Amino acid sequence: MTDALKRLSEEGVAIWLDDLSRKRITSGNLAELIDQSHVVGVTTNPSIFQKAISSGDGYEEQVADLAARKVTVEEAIRMITTADVRDAADILRPVFDATDGQDGRVSIEVDPRLAHNTKATVAEAKQLAWLVDRPNTLIKIPATKAGLPAITETIGRGISVNVTLIFSLERYREVMDAYLAGLEKAKAKGLDLSKIHSVASFFVSRVDTEIDKRLDGIGTDEAKALKGKAALANARLAYEAYEEVFGSDRWGSLDKAGANKQRPLWASTGVKDPAYKDTLYVDDLVAPGTVNTMPEATLEATADHGEIVGNTIAGTYEQARAELDAVEKLGIAYDDVVQLLEDEGVEKFEASWNDLLKSTEAELKKLAPSEG
């Protein structure tokens, strides 16, 4: 066991766990990861909840109570997921207090079926913030076109947001713009900007998965040499954009008013290709002011053999641009790839949500009390 996680934290990278379940909460495992593995936050998504709740482990009593009350399946899911997020937020509260609200955060996502409906997304964000009722919650809003004004409106109401499913550099700049616009709205209302936080979840491994597949289809030596390069290049150029936006005059006036930067969060950092080092998207994306949310396997791999050698983003922008240009010159259209990944991301979360609806409905029926 190395002390790579400690070194990662010392480099200014906040380590968050990309997983949550009731068993992880009640067994003391989450508290242990905070205590021993430098974990300072938790992210969830519909796929994570579908896996956790479908296992049934620890949810039986609550599901039986919900069945006895004859609640709808949608209400049951919201009661179950917000209970887990609330409990996780309480476990992370000391971290939240120690970091002045920056970390110690737990994310919960709006219903993914609302990804293309601005008004419904805002309404859901307000409802989730009210239901969880913890200051260290982040409401996850997807970075779709309809999600952008929802981000502005939600931030403008003083609700902290985790923007998810960001794949493209252009969309990331739009997300940062939506955040700043939200802060400006909040400032105009007289809200305390220091209490509003946000992260922007920029997805990593899925970019390599899609582009590598296309490079394999081309099959030349030149194409093969570019495999495993695009995701890191894309994320590093996202950090360059972050430095530009949060070094601007527009940000300066908000900074003076006490606002917090919207940190880039590296998401989808579990390596999909066994040919690559399993800590690739941790070791090579180290920079201050970032978050890396890891599945437990990646967290353990980093603890065991991660190579944290300081900032691995600084000085890489020229090379990153050259690598993405080289991919484009081979006929792989960047805009096409990132749009496909966004569409697929929303569809996958919708599919997980629908699976969760079905499995929860079956459990409610099974545990419903007999009439009479």
Side-chain angles (χ1 to χ4, degrees), residues 19-75:
D19 190 51
L20 187 64
S21 67
R22 190 152 300 175
K23 188 177 181 184
R24 198 182 280 287
I25 291 163
T26 57
S27 68
N29 172 261
L30 178 58
E32 189 178 285
L33 290 172
I34 294 163
D35 186 49
Q36 297 177 15
S37 299
H38 305 275
V39 168
V40 293
V42 169
T43 47
T44 68
N45 61 46
S47 301
I48 284 169
F49 276 127
Q50 193 268 330
K51 184 181 166 191
I53 297 167
S54 299
S55 76
D57 205 347
Y59 296 97
E60 301 87 345
E61 185 180 348
Q62 188 180 12
V63 174
D65 288 346
L66 292 164
R69 287 175 48 218
K70 297 183 179 177
V71 304
T72 65
V73 64
E74 278 91 352
E75 187 184 346

Side-chain angles (χ1 to χ4, degrees), residues 5 15-20 24 29 33 37 39 41-43 45 48 51 205 265-272 278-279 281-282 292-303:
L5 294 173
I15 300 165
W16 291 9
L17 177 71
D18 194 25
D19 190 51
L20 187 64
R24 198 182 280 287
N29 172 261
L33 290 172
S37 299
V39 168
V42 169
T43 47
N45 61 46
I48 284 169
K51 184 181 166 191
S205 66
L265 178 151
W266 310 128
S268 181
T269 55
V271 173
K272 308 280 195 293
D278 54 2
T279 59
Y281 304 127
V282 179
N292 195 311
T293 188
M294 308 179 204
E296 191 168 21
T298 305
L299 184 74
E300 288 173 352
T302 303

Side-chain angles (χ1 to χ4, degrees), residues 232-233 236-237 239-240 243 284 286-288 310-323:
L232 288 174
R236 286 165 168 172
L237 292 176
Y239 192 79
E240 180 188 39
E243 288 183 313
D284 287 11
V286 177
N311 189 326
T312 47
I313 292 182
T316 64
Y317 303 146
E318 200 175 315
Q319 183 190 349
R321 257 188 288 280
E323 285 166 349

Side-chain angles (χ1 to χ4, degrees), residues 25-344:
I25 291 163
T26 57
S27 68
N29 172 261
L30 178 58
E32 189 178 285
L33 290 172
I34 294 163
D35 186 49
Q36 297 177 15
S37 299
H38 305 275
V39 168
V40 293
V42 169
T43 47
T44 68
N45 61 46
S47 301
I48 284 169
F49 276 127
Q50 193 268 330
K51 184 181 166 191
I53 297 167
S54 299
S55 76
D57 205 347
Y59 296 97
E60 301 87 345
E61 185 180 348
Q62 188 180 12
V63 174
D65 288 346
L66 292 164
R69 287 175 48 218
K70 297 183 179 177
V71 304
T72 65
V73 64
E74 278 91 352
E75 187 184 346
I77 287 169
R78 277 307 177 212
M79 291 299 103
I80 293 164
T81 56
T82 54
D84 280 358
V85 168
R86 193 179 307 114
D87 288 345
D90 288 343
I91 293 168
L92 278 154
R93 184 60 191 259
V95 177
F96 174 80
D97 292 336
T99 60
D100 201 23
Q102 180 162 256
D103 289 308
R105 295 270 174 181
V106 188
S107 299
I108 184 168
E109 189 148 348
V110 297
D111 184 333
R113 296 172 299 179
L114 307 177
H116 303 295
N117 184 328
T118 302
K119 194 174 275 192
T121 294
V122 174
E124 173 98 341
K126 287 160 59 184
Q127 171 77 353
L128 285 173
W130 178 82
L131 270 174
V132 177
D133 194 26
R134 294 293 184 272
N136 49 332
T137 312
L138 289 170
I139 307 303
K140 284 180 90 171
I141 296 175
T144 56
K145 275 291 185 189
L148 295 169
I151 293 157
T152 297
E153 183 64 25
T154 304
I155 291 289
R157 290 172 177 272
I159 298 169
S160 294
V161 171
N162 174 346
V163 183
T164 189
L165 291 175
I166 308 170
F167 295 94
S168 88
L169 295 166
E170 183 185 356
R171 183 58 51 84
Y172 177 43
R173 286 182 181 275
E174 290 173 338
V175 164
M176 289 187 283
D177 181 70
Y179 174 62
L180 296 184
L183 288 176
E184 286 158 355
K185 284 184 94 159
K187 185 182 174 187
K189 287 180 190 168
L191 298 181
D192 182 354
L193 300 192
S194 72
K195 303 291 185 198
I196 304 170
H197 286 260
S198 184
V199 293
S201 295
F202 198 89
F203 279 55
V204 186
S205 66
R206 293 186 196 180
V207 173
D208 269 344
T209 302
E210 181 59 33
I211 288 181
D212 283 0
K213 183 172 74 179
R214 299 184 186 204
L215 290 168
D216 278 335
I218 294 167
T220 63
D221 288 344
E222 187 185 4
K224 286 174 187 168
L226 287 167
K227 285 183 67 178
K229 302 273 177 72
L232 288 174
N234 200 37
R236 286 165 168 172
L237 292 176
Y239 192 79
E240 180 188 39
Y242 159 77
E243 288 183 313
E244 283 175 19
V245 170
F246 290 98
S248 68
D249 291 342
R250 183 184 182 191
W251 166 249
S253 61
L254 289 164
D255 186 35
K256 283 183 192 135
N260 299 289
K261 291 178 181 177
Q262 181 187 55
R263 289 182 293 170
L265 178 151
W266 310 128
S268 181
T269 55
V271 173
K272 308 280 195 293
D273 189 333
Y276 302 152
K277 190 183 176 193
D278 54 2
T279 59
L280 176 67
Y281 304 127
V282 179
D283 297 350
D284 287 11
L285 288 175
V286 177
T290 59
V291 180
N292 195 311
T293 188
M294 308 179 204
E296 191 168 21
T298 305
L299 184 74
E300 288 173 352
T302 303
D304 183 63
H305 52 265
E307 296 176 56
I308 309 304
V309 293
N311 189 326
T312 47
I313 292 182
T316 64
Y317 303 146
E318 200 175 315
Q319 183 190 349
R321 257 188 288 280
E323 285 166 349
L324 287 186
D325 285 348
V327 168
E328 190 92 32
K329 278 173 188 158
L330 288 175
I332 298 171
Y334 175 86
D335 290 344
D336 175 58
V337 168
V338 292
Q339 188 58 56
L340 174 73
L341 291 171
E342 181 188 303
D343 294 343
E344 283 183 351

